[in-house]
Amino acid sequence: MRKLLRRGAVCAALVSAAVLSVPVVAQAAQPNQLCRTNSSAILYTSPDSGIWVPQNSLVRILDYRGPLHYLARYDGTVGQLERSRVIQESCYYQ
């Protein structure tokens, strides 16, 4: 009986360690959230043009465009913004 209990405790410890070692992925910003930029960036209005967005600016996320980009609005202009330029933890609804 003790051997079985020890085996169960070892299994539980291994499962617990595995769960704790899983890397945490940053949550993607959701549509209609305001988020801050972590560095200056270009909001691409076409493949070869866009407007400059300063660091720490508020942008509104309009849509999720996959792992690399968001459709976002800054200062009335809509375009694509690199997802890495957005501080995910700064996003909030207003």
Side-chain angles (χ1 to χ4, degrees):
M1 183 69 171
R2 279 186 179 167
K3 193 173 187 180
L4 187 60
L5 287 174
R6 262 187 267 156
R7 218 180 272 166
V10 168
C11 287
L14 289 174
V15 168
S16 176
V19 168
L20 293 176
S21 65
V22 173
V24 176
V25 178
Q27 187 74 10
Q30 300 299 311
N32 212 32
Q33 282 188 324
L34 289 170
C35 303
R36 295 216 173 265
T37 55
N38 63 11
S39 60
S40 54
I42 297 174
L43 181 73
Y44 291 97
T45 54
S46 72
D48 56 353
S49 66
I51 64 167
W52 193 253
V53 179
Q55 181 177 359
N56 207 31
S57 296
L58 276 176
V59 295
R60 184 170 300 276
I61 304 301
L62 302 177
D63 196 9
Y64 179 71
R65 289 291 165 109
L68 299 179
H69 293 91
Y70 290 120
L71 182 66
R73 179 185 296 125
Y74 170 72
D75 202 22
T77 303
V78 173
Q80 285 200 28
L81 181 68
E82 289 180 29
R83 188 172 167 208
S84 63
R85 302 288 187 206
V86 172
I87 304 170
Q88 303 295 330
E89 297 81 19
S90 72
C91 299
Y92 64 95
Y93 287 104
Q94 182 185 30

